Amino acid sequence: MEHVLGFVALAAGLIIGLGAIGACIGIGLMGGKYIEASARQPELMNALQTKMFLLAGLIDAAFLIGVGIAMMFAFANPFQLA
């Protein structure tokens, strides 16, 4: 039984860790492309900034959904037998 709980803890750590890495890489790439695009066409900076913040929120939302699922497994473990 203890090995199942150990695997659940390992899975929760992987979900949070890999989700954080993915979100950081995604936001970093998006920010770099925003800087490049606004340097090429400064007149579009406001429209690009709005789209960039919208995408940043969606990237963070996907990561936070993963955190919520990991917390559900950690604290309300559906695999724990009575």
Side-chain angles (χ1 to χ4, degrees):
M1 185 60 180
E2 291 81 24
H3 66 282
V4 172
L5 295 177
F7 285 138
V8 168
L10 182 64
L14 284 173
I15 290 171
I16 293 173
L18 293 177
I21 289 171
C24 290
I25 290 172
I27 289 178
L29 289 174
M30 181 187 57
K33 296 296 181 180
Y34 166 71
I35 297 295
E36 287 178 17
S38 60
R40 288 178 192 257
Q41 293 183 336
E43 66 273 4
L44 294 178
M45 188 181 297
N46 290 333
L48 291 173
Q49 186 178 22
T50 303
K51 291 174 184 166
M52 184 194 72
F53 283 128
L54 180 66
L55 286 174
L58 291 174
I59 291 171
D60 278 342
F63 166 63
L64 289 178
I65 289 170
V67 169
I69 291 170
M71 292 296 111
M72 180 191 73
F73 284 148
F75 295 113
N77 188 358
F79 300 111
Q80 186 176 8
L81 302 174

